[in-house]
Amino acid sequence: MNEALLRSLTPSVLGILVRRGADFAAAEDAVQDALVEAVRVWPADQPRDPKGWLVTVAWRKFLDATRADAARRRREDLVDEQPAPGPTPSADDTLQLYFLCAHPSLTPSSAVALTLRAVGGLTTRQIAQAYLVPEATMAQRISRAKRTVSGVRFDQPGDVATVLRVLYLVFNEGYSGDVDLAAEAIRLTRQLAAAIDHPEVAGLLALMLLHHARRAARTAPDGGLVPLAEQDRGRWDTESIAEGVEILQAALARDRLGEFQAQAAIAALHADAPTAEETDWVQIVEWYDELALLTDSPVVRLNRAVAVGEADGPRAGLAALAALDESLPRHAAVAAYLHERDGDLATAARLYAEAAQKAPNLAERDHLTRQAARLNARRWR
């Protein structure tokens, strides 16, 4: 059984059913029924036209479900439109599904789950495991999302920025359980890049590749976080870095700068440095300036303060940090780092301990706690 083939065909088959008049929720159920049938039948007799077979079976499943539902009897008129036997047109509706799954009426978490289910082809159980929630909880979330978009038509304009934001959210979920969401986000973004010629799509794909290339070096054998400056650069994936840089350069050449291209440019400068000491911090500050103009994000300005501290010295970084709200996530951690570089170990240790209390996850909390302990040990010698 070719599971990869089934997975690759799922979005297109689903899109065809929706275009033929099926609402999203019913079409998704029909496609899943067809996939179950394929798993049962194909090992003994795989069809010559797998996509056409799936479309025909899924359509019949949809019609059977429609007849059984008294509230949807009006859909029986669609029986005459059943697709004729033979090869199915190669039109791919994956792109429309991206826009449908990233509909603004959905919450970010629901949009991510629906994208993974409908476009990514993951099972509800896999998505639930990745998010560390019960399968029933995830099933309810996906069902609500499907009901929300069931009346949305493909002729409604889509928003590329919303689709990219959903894919970025998937990527940032990283890895948990048996589903690597970072790798899945890269796969989905590759699909989107193949379907739409847009510099920000390319920028996001480049950003993902450049960040993912450092993954193996981010954690120590004991599971602790390894800061960028201390990572073994020999463990970075040079092929992913080269691909990311090539994609980014092509996108930047189009002179339509967006936030993902700017972020990717910063990641590329880190990846290009043979050692942490050789990082081009001056150019990184310039890219953060561009990014701040594009987003007006306080988080961008927080990261910019770190870069300024590296380029112009810790006191310049602290001056940039002083203009920002102290309630920002990781503000205390940045302040601790800059005070340490400025030689104020007592303040740095206190701020590291404060940052540890606010850390969003256990790994980061442990890392910041160790930083505070390290500085306190130095002070008490």
Side-chain angles (χ1 to χ4, degrees):
M1 166 54 58
N2 192 333
E3 294 183 6
L5 175 61
L6 285 175
R7 185 173 174 179
S8 67
L9 291 175
T10 298
S12 183
V13 175
L14 178 56
I16 289 172
L17 263 65
V18 173
R19 287 204 307 170
R20 291 184 179 276
D23 68 69
F24 188 88
E28 210 268 350
D29 290 340
V31 172
Q32 294 307 313
D33 288 342
L35 293 176
V36 171
E37 188 71 8
V39 170
R40 186 182 69 82
V41 173
W42 285 15
D45 183 21
Q46 181 166 327
R48 293 184 179 180
D49 179 16
K51 181 177 177 181
W53 188 97
L54 284 172
V55 169
T56 300
V57 173
W59 187 253
R60 288 172 179 164
K61 296 286 186 183
F62 163 70
L63 292 178
D64 288 344
T66 298
R67 295 189 188 98
D69 188 345
R72 298 177 181 176
R73 291 191 181 278
R74 65 184 182 279
R75 295 190 183 273
E76 292 182 354
D77 294 336
L78 299 175
V79 172
D80 294 336
E81 298 179 19
Q82 181 173 325
T88 301
S90 60
D92 189 353
D93 292 302
T94 302
L95 180 58
Q96 288 93 330
L97 287 178
Y98 276 107
F99 289 120
L100 187 63
C101 294
H103 195 268
S105 62
L106 295 174
T107 64
S109 61
S110 293
V112 167
L114 190 58
T115 300
L116 290 171
R117 185 73 176 89
V119 187
L122 301 185
T123 66
T124 302
R125 175 173 294 181
Q126 287 175 315
I127 301 170
Q129 289 175 341
Y131 279 88
L132 303 178
V133 300
E135 184 176 355
T137 300
M138 183 56 66
Q140 291 175 355
R141 183 181 301 176
I142 294 173
S143 294
R144 286 195 299 268
K146 288 192 292 185
R147 287 196 298 270
T148 299
V149 301
S150 62
V152 177
R153 306 305 304 172
F154 275 176
D155 57 0
Q156 294 181 340
D159 180 9
V160 175
T162 302
V163 174
L164 295 181
R165 186 65 53 196
V166 168
L167 291 172
Y168 191 52
L169 288 172
V170 175
F171 181 79
N172 283 336
E173 290 296 334
Y175 174 84
S176 179
D178 65 352
V179 179
D180 186 341
L181 290 182
E184 183 65 17
I186 291 173
R187 187 183 74 84
L188 293 172
T189 306
R190 285 190 190 278
Q191 285 186 4
L192 186 61
I196 182 172
D197 183 19
H198 194 293
E200 271 293 82
V201 177
L204 179 58
L205 178 57
L207 175 64
M208 289 178 175
L209 290 168
L210 290 164
H211 277 310
H212 205 54
R214 303 199 298 262
R215 174 175 168 172
R218 284 199 187 103
T219 54
D222 63 359
L225 292 180
V226 180
L228 177 61
E230 301 173 19
Q231 289 177 12
D232 178 0
R233 299 183 179 222
R235 300 183 66 194
W236 289 1
D237 183 347
T238 55
E239 289 186 7
S240 291
I241 290 173
E243 182 186 5
V245 169
E246 182 180 359
I247 292 171
L248 174 63
Q249 288 175 338
L252 292 175
R254 301 178 64 175
D255 198 23
R256 290 169 54 194
L257 185 64
E259 62 174 297
F260 290 120
Q261 294 170 73
Q263 287 188 56
I266 293 168
L269 286 168
H270 283 297
D272 189 53
T275 65
E277 293 72 23
E278 295 174 86
T279 303
D280 189 346
W281 287 106
V282 172
Q283 194 172 169
I284 287 176
V285 171
E286 292 174 355
W287 275 111
Y288 271 122
D289 289 339
E290 293 283 355
L291 189 56
L293 290 173
L294 289 167
T295 65
D296 194 29
S297 165
V299 175
V300 169
R301 297 187 186 279
L302 184 70
N303 292 330
R304 178 185 178 277
V306 177
V308 169
E310 298 288 354
D312 301 326
R315 294 193 179 181
L318 287 168
L321 188 65
L324 301 176
D325 188 340
E326 292 185 2
S327 66
L328 277 173
R330 297 188 173 88
H331 184 286
V334 170
Y337 174 74
L338 292 171
H339 277 291
E340 179 185 357
R341 289 203 58 227
D342 195 39
D344 187 350
L345 301 189
T347 300
R350 175 178 59 80
L351 288 169
Y352 274 131
E354 179 184 323
Q357 294 177 348
K358 302 176 181 178
N361 55 65
L362 181 61
E364 190 168 333
R365 186 187 72 188
D366 288 348
H367 170 72
L368 292 168
T369 300
R370 290 176 185 177
Q371 294 293 85
R374 174 179 58 82
L375 293 187
N376 284 325
R378 286 177 58 186
R379 290 172 54 219
W380 295 333
R381 283 174 186 169

